[in-house]
Amino acid sequence: MEEFKFDGYRFDGVTSMLYHHHGIASSFGGGYEEYFGLGTDTEALVYLILANHMLHTFYPECITIAEDVSGMPALCRPVLEGGNGFDYRLAMSIPDQWIKLLKEVKDEDWNVGNIVWTLINRRHGEKSIAYAESHDQALVGDKTLAFWLMDKEMYTNMSKMSELTHVIDRGMALHKIVRLLTHALGGEGWLNFIGNEFGHPEWLDFPRPGNGNSFHYARRQWNVVDDSNLRYGYLNEFDAAMNKLEEQFHWLNSPQAYISCKHEDDKIIGFERANLLFIFNFHPNKSFADYRIGVHKPGKYKIVLDSDSAAFGGHGLINHSTDFFTQDFKWHDCPHSIQVVGTVAW
């Protein structure tokens, strides 16, 4: 902390430390008996408590993050409350879910209910760091989110002077809404690995004997986002707008969202958080007019972020000057509802 001026620590492999069985062959369904019994490594637990207590006592601004998939209760509560003292837990199941879907399931067959459950399945009162793709996906041997979505066409059709193919169109749209959905619903913090915000086209690979000690892939290609003739800039602009909107409304510092809609056939997800109404359409070919969404707060709603905006490489099908007024019509167990015109399928 003093020598290298770190602002915090991520404790790696916390699940393996906490239990004598190291989390192997354990499903962790949430029952307290799974966490507080003979299987718990009390020496490791005490070490983590002492480490967090020391760090937060001597460095009050320090942030500590636990890489834990078990859901150990009170892991991210202060030591003075009887907790383990971590500030955040990495929501590791979220990037695992996205990569599993991209590898194994066609996007038109994604189960929106399962997606929502994975994003909200965390302990209330304990903060989580949400992220859409892990660092492992940026390393050689796997693909980034953008690469899984668009694959080889990233080499041939990301130029604005080339045809906007269905693969690039759909891939860029999903890249934007997957990241926004994860950001807005998945936790109380957001993690991005540099370059993923603009859909970096390739992996990372450090010099090693296996690649002839080459530095060719040991870098990020900032030139692709700086080149105004390429579409990567659209993804970068959307990411900047998304983070700027969070700075304005602070949804990461707000209570968990109220999920008003997760319609499996329509592939629509709707929820309220931080005085915002988020609506996502994952349907591959179906647009909706006057789509009704339940809301708690009555009044006038306006569009503040649209992933289909032309500024973000979309089709610009929604009129941003439109005002949307709630109706005293109960819907989705909410006292009011709103009809959204022009919710588009990307």
Side-chain angles (χ1 to χ4, degrees), residues 184-195:
L185 193 58
E188 292 69 39
W190 170 249
L191 174 63
N192 174 69
F193 293 94
I194 296 174

Side-chain angles (χ1 to χ4, degrees), residues 15-161:
T15 303
S16 182
M17 296 174 63
L18 287 173
Y19 310 98
H20 292 296
H21 52 67
H22 307 298
I24 299 173
S26 299
S27 60
F28 294 111
Y32 287 137
E33 70 279 358
E34 298 177 277
Y35 307 102
F36 305 114
L38 296 178
T40 303
D41 189 330
T42 53
E43 291 185 354
L45 195 63
V46 170
Y47 161 74
L48 293 172
I49 292 172
L50 289 173
N52 276 292
H53 180 65
M54 182 274 291
L55 286 167
H56 289 104
T57 299
F58 289 105
Y59 312 100
E61 302 300 318
C62 173
I63 297 174
T64 58
I65 303 172
E67 188 187 60
D68 171 56
V69 296
S70 72
M72 165 67 80
L75 185 71
C76 300
R77 296 303 302 175
V79 174
L80 292 178
E81 291 183 5
N84 294 40
F86 284 99
D87 295 296
Y88 295 91
R89 174 189 278 112
L90 277 181
M92 300 172 65
S93 61
I94 296 177
D96 288 347
Q97 170 196 242
W98 289 125
I99 197 66
K100 181 178 177 64
L101 287 174
L102 289 168
K103 285 183 175 181
E104 301 177 6
V105 184
K106 294 180 179 179
D107 61 83
E108 58 264 33
D109 296 326
W110 288 359
N111 185 299
V112 296
N114 289 343
I115 290 173
V116 167
W117 170 246
T118 301
L119 289 167
I120 65 172
N121 184 22
R122 58 188 185 276
R123 293 192 178 279
H124 287 263
E126 299 189 44
K127 295 184 288 187
S128 293
I129 300 288
Y131 55 119
E133 49 190 319
S134 73
H135 59 286
D136 294 333
Q137 291 166 239
L139 300 176
V140 66
D142 208 334
K143 299 177 182 179
T144 62
L145 187 67
F147 222 153
W148 276 110
L149 287 166
M150 296 175 278
D151 204 53
K152 62 183 180 181
E153 287 205 21
M154 295 188 76
Y155 294 118
T156 58
N157 292 93
M158 284 299 279
S159 170
K160 296 177 183 178
M161 294 177 283

Side-chain angles (χ1 to χ4, degrees), residues 145-317:
L145 187 67
F147 222 153
W148 276 110
L149 287 166
M150 296 175 278
D151 204 53
K152 62 183 180 181
E153 287 205 21
M154 295 188 76
Y155 294 118
T156 58
N157 292 93
M158 284 299 279
S159 170
K160 296 177 183 178
M161 294 177 283
S162 65
E163 176 191 5
L164 178 61
T165 65
H166 176 71
V167 170
I168 296 297
D169 193 17
R170 178 72 169 163
M172 287 180 59
L174 286 175
H175 189 274
K176 288 178 284 187
I177 62 175
V178 162
R179 288 172 62 84
L180 177 58
L181 177 62
T182 304
H183 198 312
L185 193 58
E188 292 69 39
W190 170 249
L191 174 63
N192 174 69
F193 293 94
I194 296 174
N196 291 345
E197 69 274 13
F198 61 83
H200 193 277
E202 291 179 337
W203 55 85
L204 292 174
D205 191 15
F206 298 101
R208 55 188 174 83
N211 63 13
N213 294 312
S214 171
F215 283 86
H216 182 68
Y217 290 109
R219 82 280 190 257
R220 278 304 197 196
Q221 297 185 56
W222 304 112
N223 59 293
V224 300
V225 72
D226 293 334
D227 190 336
S228 60
N229 291 317
L230 298 179
R231 295 188 169 103
Y232 295 97
Y234 292 138
L235 300 178
N236 194 59
E237 288 297 318
F238 178 79
D239 189 83
M242 174 179 71
N243 284 293
K244 185 177 181 180
L245 191 66
E246 197 289 323
E247 288 181 4
Q248 181 181 355
F249 288 92
H250 308 289
W251 63 68
L252 292 176
N253 199 35
S254 300
Q256 284 203 32
Y258 179 84
I259 315 296
S260 55
C261 177
K262 44 183 178 180
H263 198 290
E264 209 58 60
D265 291 334
D266 294 341
K267 301 300 180 187
I268 295 287
I269 298 172
F271 59 88
E272 297 169 275
R273 191 179 187 188
N275 292 318
L276 292 170
L277 172 63
F278 294 85
I279 304 173
F280 296 84
N281 179 10
F282 279 89
H283 204 285
N285 51 40
K286 191 175 181 181
S287 298
F288 302 92
D290 298 328
Y291 198 89
R292 188 176 295 277
I293 297 285
V295 295
H296 285 89
K297 291 193 174 183
K300 180 175 71 173
Y301 286 69
K302 295 185 70 68
I303 296 171
V304 292
L305 183 63
D306 172 17
S307 66
D308 193 50
S309 169
F312 307 136
H315 298 279
L317 299 180

